[in-house]
């Protein structure tokens, strides 16, 4: 018997980085999906690693013919 379970995946519609003036060593990373919002806290090290991993993964993906601007919450 496997402990693996299927986790639903939803496209990210928008994201936002939210600084906390009371905790300068963390930032909130908010994602908006069709099912609502998710909020995560991240340190500088986590953000740096995530950025590197996302760029490395993007480099492996085929380029789109027509690129659309990413949605961002402000």
């Amino acid at each position: 018997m496997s402990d693996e379970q299927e986790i639903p995946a939803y496209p990210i519609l928008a994201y936002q980085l939210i600084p906390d003036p009371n905790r300068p060593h963390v930032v909130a990373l908010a994602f908006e999906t069709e099912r609502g919002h998710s909020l995560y806290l991240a340190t500088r090290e986590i953000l740096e690693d995530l950025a590197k991993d996302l760029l490395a993964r993007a480099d492996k993906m085929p380029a789109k013919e027509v690129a659309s601007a990413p949605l961002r919450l402000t």
Side-chain angles (χ1 to χ4, degrees), residues 3-63:
D3 288 339
E4 292 181 21
Q5 65 186 123
E6 191 172 315
I7 300 172
Y10 306 102
I12 296 173
L13 303 175
Y15 70 90
Q16 184 178 11
L17 292 172
I18 308 164
D20 183 344
N22 298 319
R23 293 190 293 174
H25 299 294
V26 298
V27 66
L29 178 56
F31 291 106
E32 179 185 347
T33 72
E34 62 191 32
R35 298 284 298 208
H37 293 83
S38 296
L39 186 66
Y40 304 91
L41 297 178
T43 62
R44 177 188 180 119
E45 293 79 16
I46 292 293
L47 289 178
E48 288 173 346
D49 287 346
L50 178 60
K52 289 175 193 172
D53 289 342
L54 289 172
L55 288 172
R57 178 57 61 184
D59 283 343
K60 295 176 183 176
M61 298 171 72

